[in-house]
């Protein structure tokens, strides 16, 4: 029985150790597979000792290998400095001066294709008292159970500030959900114009995108926006890792929403983000008088975004026909009077 428990422990620990070592393998070719090979060799010895009934020797050998591995893992820290992809080069930061929110490093790229673009990081100012709406975007690029969420804050002058919690990709790097469990990516928060961050997904990355007008009041919207700024400012000073489960594009925002709605409870749809619209709908956070299927159908902006001409207002065009996006002033007054603080 003891031998079985020890063997199971070796297998379970190795299920974590092997990918951890793989995703942090050295860059030098001759060293690339050395740590992984050493771990597999020691675990083979441990299992061999266990099978011969030498349980104590097997345990000591296992602990001698596990100790240094855990010390190494503890020392794997986010660096904040890397050769980042151009669109992840900076973290947006902000300051508040009375009613004025000033943002630095807002992404305003002009995309001609997924690989051809003009790099522009600019500053923006917004009067917080003129915030009128909060919209949620869901963008799909693969399996329909997973989507990327963006939150866009609309102001009385027709401008939108769109925020995204992102994997901070290194230049040439690719996304992997598995790698996201093993300190492989750092976290980033970027504010952008919709002409950049929405259009690049629909028009150049072939993603399928949906827009939902939420029922957040202007006061709750300001609280959420300032929450983004607070977390982004902290992230710019103290880098942290992205994590597929507990530090991703949905649950970072969910924790900000819990400040506004402490009664919100976690849900599997925060992980299976492709169903996030269902969660928000059930919480009363989307436009009333429509079924979720209707909101999804009317909120699909993919083709609309691709049809917008260069001389047209991109944000206005993609909102045509989206429930709740008709009269911005009236919608803002209605929700404020109703006291709606539904999630997102």
């Amino acid at each position: 029985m003891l031998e079985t428990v020890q063997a199971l422990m070796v297998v379970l620990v190795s299920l974590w150790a092997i990918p951890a070592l793989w995703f942090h393998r050295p860059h030098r070719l001759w060293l690339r597979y050395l740590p992984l090979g050493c771990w597999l060799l020691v675990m083979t010895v441990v299992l061999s000792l266990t099978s011969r009934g030498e349980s104590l020797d097997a345990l000591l050998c296992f602990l001698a290998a596990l100790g240094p591995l855990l010390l190494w893992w503890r020392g794997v820290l986010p660096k904040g400095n890397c050769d980042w992809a151009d669109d992840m080069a900076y973290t947006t930061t902000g300051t508040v001066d009375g009613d004025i929110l000033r943002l630095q490093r807002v992404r305003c790229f002009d995309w001609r294709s997924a690989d051809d673009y003009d790099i522009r990081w600019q500053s923006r100012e917004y009067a917080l008292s003129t915030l009128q709406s909060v919209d949620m975007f869901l963008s799909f690029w693969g399996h329909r159970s997973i989507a990327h969420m963006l939150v866009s804050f609309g102001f009385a002058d027709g401008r939108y500030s769109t925020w995204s919690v992102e994997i901070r990709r290194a230049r040439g790097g690719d996304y992997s959900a598995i790698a996201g469990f093993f300190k492989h990516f750092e976290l980033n928060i970027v504010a952008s114009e919709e002409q950049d961050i929405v259009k690049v997904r629909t028009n150049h990355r072939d993603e399928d995108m949906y827009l939902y007008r939420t029922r957040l009041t202007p006061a709750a919207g300001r609280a959420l926006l300032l929450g983004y700024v607070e977390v982004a400012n902290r992230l710019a000073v103290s880098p942290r890792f992205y994590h597929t489960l507990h530090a991703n594009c949905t649950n970072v925002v969910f924790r900000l929403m819990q400040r506004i709605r402490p009664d919100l409870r976690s849900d599997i749809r925060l992980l299976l983000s492709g169903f996030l619209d269902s969660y928000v709908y059930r919480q009363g956070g989307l436009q009333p008088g429509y079924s979720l299927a209707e909101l999804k159908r009317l909120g699909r902006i993919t083709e609309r975004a691709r049809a917008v001409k260069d001389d047209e207002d991109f944000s206005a065009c993609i909102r045509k026909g989206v429930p709740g996006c008709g009269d911005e002033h009236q919608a803002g007054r209605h929700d404020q009077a109703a006291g709606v603080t539904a999630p997102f």
Side-chain angles (χ1 to χ4, degrees):
M1 180 63 180
L2 180 59
E3 289 79 7
T4 301
V5 172
Q6 285 187 340
L8 181 61
M9 180 173 61
V10 168
V11 171
L12 291 177
V13 172
S14 292
L15 287 176
W16 165 77
I18 289 172
L21 290 167
W22 173 256
F23 287 117
H24 291 275
R25 59 191 183 275
H27 294 295
R28 292 186 180 181
L29 184 62
W30 67 278
L31 284 175
R32 184 165 297 177
Y33 305 106
L34 183 61
L36 187 60
C38 289
W39 177 264
L40 292 174
L41 176 62
V42 173
M43 292 307 103
T44 300
V45 172
V46 170
L47 291 174
S48 177
L49 291 171
T50 301
S51 67
R52 297 205 305 262
E54 300 177 33
S55 300
L56 180 59
D57 290 341
L59 179 61
L60 293 174
C61 185
F62 175 73
L63 293 176
L66 181 61
L69 181 67
L70 293 178
L71 287 174
W72 162 75
W73 185 251
R74 184 181 177 87
V76 177
L77 302 173
K79 299 177 180 178
N81 57 345
C82 183
D83 183 18
W84 303 117
D86 291 330
D87 58 333
M88 289 292 112
Y90 299 105
T91 298
T92 299
T93 58
T95 58
V96 178
D97 182 8
D99 185 50
I100 302 301
L101 171 63
R102 294 186 175 90
L103 299 180
Q104 297 81 40
R105 302 182 186 89
V106 176
R107 205 180 81 192
C108 309
F109 282 26
D110 181 17
W111 299 84
R112 289 176 290 274
S113 73
D115 302 312
D116 182 19
Y117 45 81
D118 293 328
I119 299 173
R120 287 200 298 262
W121 295 90
Q122 300 179 350
S123 298
R124 291 288 185 270
E125 287 189 4
Y126 303 93
L128 291 170
S129 60
T130 66
L131 192 152
Q132 294 183 332
S133 63
V134 181
D135 295 330
M136 177 180 75
F137 289 92
L138 291 182
S139 188
F140 297 83
W141 68 93
H143 196 279
R144 301 301 287 191
S145 64
I146 301 297
H148 183 74
M149 182 186 71
L150 303 94
V151 177
S152 193
F153 299 89
F155 293 85
D157 59 4
R159 293 186 299 159
Y160 291 85
S161 178
T162 307
W163 290 72
S164 181
V165 179
E166 299 264 2
I167 285 175
R168 198 169 193 185
R169 294 175 293 103
R171 192 177 303 278
D174 294 317
Y175 171 72
S176 164
I178 301 295
F181 287 98
F182 297 98
K183 297 184 179 181
H184 189 64
F185 303 113
E186 293 188 24
L187 193 68
N188 200 20
I189 296 180
V190 173
S192 179
E193 295 182 337
E194 291 180 346
Q195 181 79 13
D196 171 345
I197 203 166
V198 173
K199 187 176 180 179
V200 69
R201 294 176 179 275
T202 55
N203 294 30
H204 303 301
R205 294 179 182 170
D206 200 28
E207 298 183 18
D208 193 22
M209 209 155 192
Y210 295 78
L211 168 63
Y212 302 92
R213 171 60 51 87
T214 76
R215 298 182 68 209
L216 276 178
T217 65
R222 286 191 290 273
L224 180 58
L225 174 56
L226 294 178
Y228 265 109
V229 174
E230 176 191 338
V231 175
N233 286 347
R234 190 162 59 241
L235 186 64
V237 175
S238 303
R240 60 181 292 198
F241 285 114
Y242 171 93
H243 193 278
T244 302
L245 288 182
H246 58 73
N248 57 41
C249 71
T250 55
N251 56 34
V252 169
V253 183
F254 176 72
R255 286 192 287 272
L256 292 176
M257 277 303 308
Q258 282 186 311
R259 299 181 183 181
I260 303 169
R261 280 274 307 270
D263 61 309
L264 289 180
R265 295 293 176 263
S266 188
D267 190 283
I268 187 63
R269 287 168 289 189
L270 297 173
L271 176 60
L272 301 176
S273 51
F275 305 107
L276 186 63
D277 51 359
S278 171
Y279 173 77
V280 179
Y281 181 81
R282 295 300 177 189
Q283 296 290 333
L286 301 182
Q287 295 301 303
Y290 298 87
S291 68
L292 179 60
E294 289 174 318
L295 291 173
K296 191 186 294 283
R297 177 176 60 82
L298 295 170
R300 185 172 184 267
I301 65 167
T302 308
E303 299 306 325
R304 262 173 279 169
R306 293 170 181 170
V308 177
K309 296 180 175 60
D310 290 341
D311 60 346
E312 293 181 309
D313 184 331
F314 181 82
S315 294
C317 288
I318 63 175
R319 284 174 170 79
K320 290 180 180 177
V322 175
C325 293
D327 187 337
E328 302 285 352
H329 299 276
Q330 183 178 353
R333 289 199 301 269
H334 171 75
D335 282 352
Q336 190 171 33
V340 176
T341 55
F344 302 102

